Amino acid sequence: MEYKQFLQIHQYQLAGIPENLWEPLFQKLGQDLFDAGEYLELHYGDPLDKYSLHVKKEGGLKKHGDIFLVDHAWTTKPETSRAQLLDNPQLVERLTSMMDISVDAEEEEVVEEATTGSDADYEIVSKNPDLEVDQTMVELVASQGNVTEQRAKVALQNENGDILSALMSLTLHPDHDAAGLKNLENAIGGQVKRDKEAKAEEKKKQDTVNKIMSEMWKYSQTYEYAVVDPSGQTKKESAWYIMDEVGSSMAHSDTPNCICAPFIYVGRGTVSYSIIFPIEDIPKGGALTRDFVPADIKDPMTRKAYLQIYNDAQDAAELIAVYESDKLEDNEVKPFDQPFTKTLTRTPSQRKAGDRKLRVYTTTEWVATNCNLSNVELVDSEDQADLLWFSQDFKEFDKLTKGQKINQFENESCVTFKQNLAALVKSAYGTVPWSSTTYNLTTELAPFVGHYLWNQEHHHRNLWICKPWNLARGLQITIQEDLAPLVRLRDTGPKIAQEYIQTPVLYEGRKFDLRYIVLLKSTHKVEGDPSQGYEFQVMVYKMFWIRLANHTFDLDDFENYEKHFTVMNYGNYNLTQLLYTKFIENFEKEHADKKKWSEIQADINEAIKAIFAAAIVKPRPEGLGAADDKTKPYEAFSIYGIDVMLKDDCQPVVVEVNFSPDCTRACKYDPDFLNNILTVVDPRAGSLDQAVQAFNVL
């Protein structure tokens, strides 16, 4: 590659590098030259209790005087990192050394001497049926004794868990010769010892990987790259990487003397490096430092929160105080009038004989596929349509004309973006039982870290679910116990941290959530006269669907998707289909000691109503600002997919509000689903009296 071409291809990355270093960087990249060892050296325990990087060159390093390439020891994604480590012992060994991790080997257990069995050992009935026996021991005895696992279990119970005695009771007569007994003892004792050694080795391997998984967030850096998905769309993805021993040994400083950043070289293919260059003079023996905090974090308290994962308890009291202050504000009650009407003051326009059909324009596949009302006509142009239904964000509200209806509200991201929903609820109501405590990790990192530390101080288990602001289908959602990944995951795009519901009510031992379809509609109080403002209705479709986890729930193994997550229709998972009526029937039988479903449903409806009441009343950008709109010629409606979980006391919790949900599944459960929505939105489509029966009008 020519130097001129290098500059052109890498111009955006070079913008942050002094111009005098461009050519040396070009030369080193072309030669794949890692020459940091000629200038720098690693120290251990000087001055830190870990590795640090120091200048060894006589005369030190000069500001902008040189630039060094750093290799990447490991590039990964959080969802695949554990599997990579388990499959790569060389990588584990290298990272263990870099992170200064030690794993204590378990003490080798001594196999006890066996005693000779008796004639009574041949009995099938267990003398000690309450004794718990390890399944591995049962399988071993069954295999060696050539008996069923049940017979092996009984023998172990009768021999108080002693493997050798159990085997002798199954295979040897009491008067067998001593040599036979000794041979059996040696054979079984050797196998037991090998099994224990193998188990100890596996446990050590798992413990080492667990420690790396915990420590990796202190060493990992990230960069974005573009990929083309199967539909041809370009999207950004994030890679996490750990620099080699040189880069990973740089210490943090609030006033760093070096810049360290990723550099993606497009030369011999595409190769990722990191680069280091000094921004101050550094004398011989001086330590190289960089700022661990991302450049977008300027607030001093937020910096302290971010650095908490490196500084342990430092600044903990300050951060806890931030949380406690935030909590006091949340407890203030902020009541306001409900803006909804159950009965519209304006009589809906009914279809009359000879009227033309309701014309609908849609880009939403499930709407086009399931629209089968005789009074509705699909058209190909927005201008021709009475009702527009888009699956993508609509921006051109100012182009809508009198009498048109649109399936979106302006600024409805106030409820469909997770961080905005949390902020709306907090602003309108403070702390409420139907909403989990949620933090925007971009703007509320300090109170979040304070809350985490407060939990630690008060011996409350920290368990948080981390989600992107605006992704659905369970994408990029993880459950975390440690603080470090929760803090660092914000680096790959905006995230929220939400308290994980640790005690959900279960259905046949499995976690579940409920998907409700909610219709919000606005109607001019006086037809054709926007100056009189809107009136609003919020309606919950009575039919809902149930999303079930596939595995029995407990509070461990948080990487097990089928145990802790319920969205199974977008991957290679078994999908449980369950009608809502059958669910209610079974639920009331299983939880007869809890509330009746009608009471639970009433609580769910109230929580949904509260969200949209706040959205209508609050001005933009916090809310829809719809209550003050008195100049819009059009009317708006929108359907939302609202996900609800139940705590073990049947308290509903609204998990999220989804924009433009895919209702293909709802149309299969109820063939009139779309027809009912269209008719309620515009009664010209069908029978309003019939359609409204499918909803709870709140």
Side-chain angles (χ1 to χ4, degrees), residues 171-466:
T171 60
L172 292 178
H173 192 273
D175 60 2
H176 244 301
D177 61 274
L181 290 175
K182 190 64 178 175
N183 290 338
L184 179 60
E185 180 181 345
N186 290 338
I188 299 306
Q191 183 168 343
V192 170
K193 182 179 179 182
R194 289 191 296 272
D195 287 347
K196 288 183 180 295
E197 289 173 347
K199 283 184 177 181
E201 189 61 33
E202 178 62 24
K203 186 177 187 304
K204 181 180 178 182
K205 177 181 176 181
Q206 293 287 348
D207 288 347
T208 304
V209 168
N210 288 340
K211 287 193 175 183
I212 292 173
M213 291 286 292
S214 178
E215 289 294 308
M216 64 179 277
W217 301 101
K218 299 178 184 179
Y219 293 84
S220 300
Q221 312 302 315
T222 186
Y223 60 82
E224 285 189 336
Y225 60 97
V227 297
V228 179
D229 65 21
S231 67
Q233 299 294 313
T234 300
K235 63 177 183 178
K236 290 182 177 180
E237 291 197 358
S238 299
W240 290 87
Y241 65 93
I242 291 180
M243 293 182 286
D244 66 12
E245 287 76 2
V246 172
S248 292
S249 297
M250 294 184 72
H252 165 76
S253 173
D254 289 334
T255 54
N257 55 26
C258 287
I259 293 292
C260 180
F263 193 93
I264 312 303
Y265 177 53
V266 182
R268 304 173 305 279
T270 301
V271 185
S272 61
Y273 299 91
S274 288
I275 54 166
I276 299 173
F277 61 89
I279 54 175
E280 293 180 357
D281 291 349
I282 309 173
K284 181 181 178 181
L288 276 69
T289 60
R290 63 182 182 89
D291 190 351
F292 287 179
V293 182
D296 67 294
I297 296 180
K298 308 295 185 186
D299 173 65
M301 190 58 66
T302 306
R303 283 184 61 88
K304 289 181 179 181
Y306 191 94
L307 289 170
Q308 186 64 209
I309 64 174
Y310 305 98
N311 297 339
D312 296 325
Q314 187 175 329
D315 302 315
E318 246 186 307
L319 290 163
I320 289 173
V322 171
Y323 158 66
E324 290 177 333
S325 173
D326 194 64
K327 187 177 179 181
L328 283 174
E329 291 180 12
D330 286 353
N331 288 332
E332 295 178 7
V333 179
K334 308 174 179 69
F336 53 82
D337 294 334
Q338 294 289 330
F340 297 117
T341 176
K342 283 201 171 188
T343 305
L344 293 173
T345 56
R346 180 176 61 120
T347 304
S349 299
Q350 300 285 352
R351 187 173 186 273
K352 301 174 184 177
D355 282 356
R356 63 172 173 77
K357 297 179 178 181
L358 176 68
R359 294 174 297 194
V360 175
Y361 174 83
T362 184
T363 61
T364 306
E365 184 177 351
W366 69 267
V367 173
T369 302
N370 293 281
C371 185
N372 53 27
L373 285 167
S374 60
N375 296 341
V376 176
E377 175 187 6
L378 294 177
V379 295
D380 298 326
S381 166
E382 297 176 34
D383 296 335
Q384 296 176 309
D386 304 308
L387 187 151
L388 299 103
W389 193 314
F390 293 95
S391 56
Q392 68 276 20
D393 281 331
F394 183 78
K395 303 294 185 185
E396 299 176 326
F397 288 92
D398 57 334
K399 294 185 178 180
L400 296 173
T401 59
K402 181 179 177 180
Q404 283 190 311
K405 293 179 170 65
I406 177 73
N407 77 314
Q408 292 177 35
F409 286 86
E410 292 186 64
N411 196 50
E412 63 186 357
S413 61
C414 70
V415 291
T416 60
F417 281 26
K418 299 175 185 67
Q419 85 285 7
N420 291 341
L421 175 62
L424 175 68
V425 171
K426 182 177 178 180
S427 169
Y429 304 106
T431 301
V432 288
W434 46 263
S435 179
S436 287
T437 300
T438 303
Y439 293 95
N440 180 341
L441 294 180
T442 300
T443 61
E444 299 176 310
L445 188 64
F448 164 67
V449 173
H451 191 164
Y452 186 100
L453 297 171
W454 186 93
N455 281 351
Q456 279 189 331
E457 191 175 273
H458 291 79
H459 308 291
H460 295 171
R461 185 173 185 181
N462 271 301
L463 209 52
W464 300 83
I465 186 163
C466 187

Side-chain angles (χ1 to χ4, degrees), residues 626-677:
D628 298 326
D629 267 337
K630 295 186 177 179
T631 60
K632 308 295 186 185
Y634 63 87
E635 296 178 344
F637 72 97
S638 191
I639 65 167
Y640 304 95
I642 297 192
D643 299 331
V644 176
M645 288 187 63
L646 301 177
K647 293 184 178 179
D648 59 355
D649 60 355
C650 290
Q651 168 64 53
V653 176
V654 176
V655 177
E656 57 188 53
V657 177
N658 294 280
F659 165 78
S660 188
D662 181 356
C663 292
T664 303
R665 191 172 171 184
C667 293
K668 289 179 179 178
Y669 286 160
D670 180 359
D672 288 326
F673 174 80
L674 176 62
N675 299 338
N676 290 332
I677 290 176

Side-chain angles (χ1 to χ4, degrees), residues 115 120-135 137-139 141-142 147-170:
T115 58
D121 296 331
Y122 287 94
E123 294 180 7
I124 297 176
V125 178
S126 175
K127 298 176 182 178
N128 192 7
D130 295 329
L131 178 66
E132 292 292 332
V133 180
D134 184 79
Q135 181 61 24
M137 296 166 60
V138 173
E139 292 171 359
V141 170
V147 295
T148 65
E149 289 189 6
Q150 178 60 29
R151 183 72 181 275
K153 181 179 179 181
V154 169
L156 282 162
Q157 289 174 329
N158 288 340
E159 297 298 336
N160 294 317
D162 187 288
I163 294 175
L164 196 55
S165 295
L167 272 167
M168 287 192 297
S169 74
L170 293 168

Side-chain angles (χ1 to χ4, degrees), residues 535-552:
E535 57 187 3
F536 302 91
Q537 281 185 311
V538 62
M539 311 169 77
V540 179
Y541 208 84
K542 291 178 180 177
M543 179 197 69
F544 57 90
W545 59 92
I546 300 89
R547 305 189 299 188
L548 274 167
N550 288 334
H551 295 169
T552 301

